[in-house]
Amino acid sequence: MDGSLHQFQLFDYDMMIQDDYSFDQDAHLSSQNWFSSHQNISNNIRNIESKNPISTSASSDIKRKSGAMKKNPVDMGLRVAFRTKSKLDIMDDGYKWRKYGKKMVKNSPNPRNYFKCSSGGCKVKKRVERDRDDSAYVITTYDGVHNHESPNCMVYQMPSIVPIDGWTLEDSFTPSSSS
DNA sequence: CGATTTTGACCAGCGC
DNA sequence: GCGCTGGTCAAAATCG
Ligand SMILES: [Zn+2]
């Protein structure tokens, strides 16, 4: 195998989750650059997040835990779980994550890491856990939606931004009057 | 100096 | 009611 096992494999990890958006099994990202896959995944994630039709709010018994209460079939905000093939934890999805806790889950001899978006106003949380059967895999669960674009704005974005014929960056004041 | 990371403690929900 | 698990926050330490 290659030393770089940066294959991004999207699996419907909604085994127990009900309102989890499962992606298509794009396991063809083998010899592709992990970067390309990265963008793809990121795009997919954002897409799913955007199409968050959850707004039933049938019961107003929402506790302070907006994470994922199994109250009703649909109640939480957003949850995305992936299986990523990586030797180490997942890098950054283009966002900055700050680790805010580590916990040992009984389900696996491996610790679970809790990450939070360090961007202002962004309270998105990420949960990273190593697979129990495949230590080469890591389960990355994203919770929430980003309020800002990725600080890593890579590749083409915003085609127009300068061609604005109306900007007088010159001295708009004092057209011609010196001391 | 600031941001970030690390570990522990604390709290809340659920089960029994 | 107690115990357990899971999750979050906080203080201190470290890195850049
Ligand atoms: Zn964010």
Side-chain angles (χ1 to χ4, degrees), chain A residues 58-126:
Chain A
S59 13
S60 44
D61 297 316
I62 312 290
K63 302 264 191 310
R64 60 207 303 173
K65 284 191 183 293
S66 49
M69 302 286 288
K70 63 279 293 303
K71 250 184 167 301
N72 278 344
V74 279
D75 261 356
M76 80 297 277
L78 176 269
R79 167 176 6 206
V80 199
F82 307 89
R83 262 253 308 269
T84 318
K85 177 105 174 262
S86 205
K87 298 185 300 186
L88 241 57
D89 302 330
I90 265 301
M91 301 178 185
D92 50 80
D93 295 304
Y95 300 100
K96 220 48 181 278
W97 303 92
R98 140 186 156 269
K99 189 195 295 178
Y100 75 92
K102 178 180 2 183
K103 215 28 186 249
M104 278 283 215
V105 285
K106 292 159 53 113
N107 201 26
S108 28
N110 306 309
R112 180 180 283 170
N113 294 284
Y114 298 90
F115 288 90
K116 213 192 281 189
C117 191
S118 46
S119 301
C122 206
K123 48 196 175 290
V124 180
K125 283 179 294 186
K126 181 166 81 176

Side-chain angles (χ1 to χ4, degrees), chain A residues 5-10 34 38 41 45 82-95 97 113 115 126-130 136-142:
Chain A
L5 303 167
H6 286 318
Q7 307 171 35
F8 239 110
Q9 300 186 283
L10 309 184
W34 109 289
H38 222 208
I41 277 70
I45 295 173
F82 307 89
R83 262 253 308 269
T84 318
K85 177 105 174 262
S86 205
K87 298 185 300 186
L88 241 57
D89 302 330
I90 265 301
M91 301 178 185
D92 50 80
D93 295 304
Y95 300 100
W97 303 92
N113 294 284
F115 288 90
K126 181 166 81 176
R127 179 187 316 173
V128 181
E129 182 195 14
R130 281 167 171 66
Y137 284 74
V138 292
I139 287 81
T140 315
T141 314
Y142 292 85

Side-chain angles (χ1 to χ4, degrees), chain A residues 8 33-46 93 154-156:
Chain A
F8 239 110
N33 276 341
W34 109 289
F35 219 66
S36 295
S37 325
H38 222 208
Q39 293 177 41
N40 275 305
I41 277 70
S42 207
N43 198 2
N44 285 324
I45 295 173
R46 282 187 48 198
D93 295 304
M154 41 185 166
V155 275
Y156 347 94

